Amino acid sequence: MRLKVITSNPGKVREYERELSQFGIEMEHLRHPYDEVQTSDLEEVVNKGMDAIISEGIRDFIVDDSGLFVDALKGFPGVWSAYAQKTIGNPGILKLMDGVEDRGAEFRCCIGCDIAGKRIVVTGVCRGVITDSERGTDGFGFDPICSPDGERTFAEIPMDEKNAVSHRGNAVRLLIEALKDEGLI
Ligand code: ITT
């Protein structure tokens, strides 16, 4: 079975490949921009994006909308994570967190999967903390400032360790359960 991963982010594709290849699912990276509606709900972004992609005749794909929700910033950057990453970047998030004691944050990943004419939408979460400085060179995006356990950041651990606890890893496990329930794997 082959699924397109529709994203501008090759880091996401690598994580899907690692987790889904063991179930005989091959991933194909497709850069195909789609409208991401402005809403505070990741699932709504995913469902509307899927409608648009399907209306163009594309089937058998995954889309992924993710975000970092920082407790002390009342959930910012959340659904604006991609914009925040491009503009203020990790140094900007660290600056907003300067002197803030409550470092708690949550990563969320919503996966929309169109497969064999069915739609599966699942969301995985991962709690962690925002570190005091950027650390590590692996991963992408907010990984150098996010730590699942307050010790190493996601950019300091191998991908398998990240996937074992991450928002995307948790979402993929829900997707695998749903694919099994549908008898598709
Ligand atoms: P697409 O929308 O094209 O898939 P994107 O990178 O813009 O790619 P999102 O809007 O889902 O993806 O992600 C919002 C931001 O959160 C973006 O800057 C990502 O780099 C970052 N992000 C998403 N997942 C992440 C992860 O596992 N680790 C670190 N940062 C992540």
Side-chain angles (χ1 to χ4, degrees):
M1 191 186 311
R2 204 174 164 83
L3 283 179
K4 302 166 194 75
V5 188
I6 302 181
T7 179
S8 60
N9 186 332
K12 290 183 181 177
V13 184
R14 283 194 288 275
E15 294 184 2
Y16 284 113
E17 266 164 0
R18 182 65 67 94
E19 292 304 300
L20 291 172
S21 61
Q22 52 195 306
F23 294 93
I25 304 176
E26 268 179 65
M27 313 311 298
E28 173 193 339
H29 185 185
L30 180 63
R31 288 178 192 272
H32 184 83
Y34 58 93
D35 273 348
E36 295 189 13
V37 288
Q38 282 301 308
T39 155
S40 56
D41 181 356
L42 295 181
E43 291 201 6
E44 196 182 342
V45 177
V46 161
N47 272 306
K48 298 251 169 72
M50 291 180 82
D51 292 343
I53 292 165
I54 290 169
S55 74
E56 293 181 66
I58 300 173
R59 303 307 299 255
D60 296 310
F61 63 84
I62 277 179
V63 290
D64 167 324
D65 197 41
S66 301
L68 173 67
F69 297 76
V70 180
D71 299 348
L73 304 179
K74 301 196 188 317
F76 181 82
V79 289
W80 298 282
S81 291
Y83 184 71
Q85 182 60 229
K86 267 183 237 136
T87 50
I88 60 175
N90 290 335
I93 300 287
L94 290 179
K95 204 159 185 189
L96 292 174
M97 294 296 285
D98 202 16
V100 175
E101 249 180 62
D102 173 9
R103 312 294 296 183
E106 188 166 285
F107 252 134
R108 295 183 202 151
C109 169
C110 180
I111 300 176
C113 178
D114 175 273
I115 182 166
K118 292 188 196 310
R119 177 180 300 210
I120 298 168
V121 179
V122 290
T123 301
V125 300
C126 172
R127 284 211 52 89
V129 295
I130 305 298
T131 50
D132 294 329
S133 59
E134 291 189 66
R135 296 200 317 257
T137 51
D138 280 357
F140 60 91
F142 299 103
D143 283 342
I145 60 165
C146 291
S147 168
D149 56 7
E151 292 180 12
R152 290 172 305 163
T153 68
F154 275 135
E156 292 179 303
I157 59 179
M159 188 200 295
D160 284 340
E161 269 186 60
K162 177 182 173 187
N163 286 352
V165 296
S166 76
H167 49 311
R168 185 162 299 101
N170 290 333
V172 168
R173 281 179 279 282
L174 293 172
L175 174 64
I176 288 165
E177 284 314 305
L179 292 173
K180 284 183 180 162
D181 288 347
E182 296 283 354
L184 292 167
I185 54 172

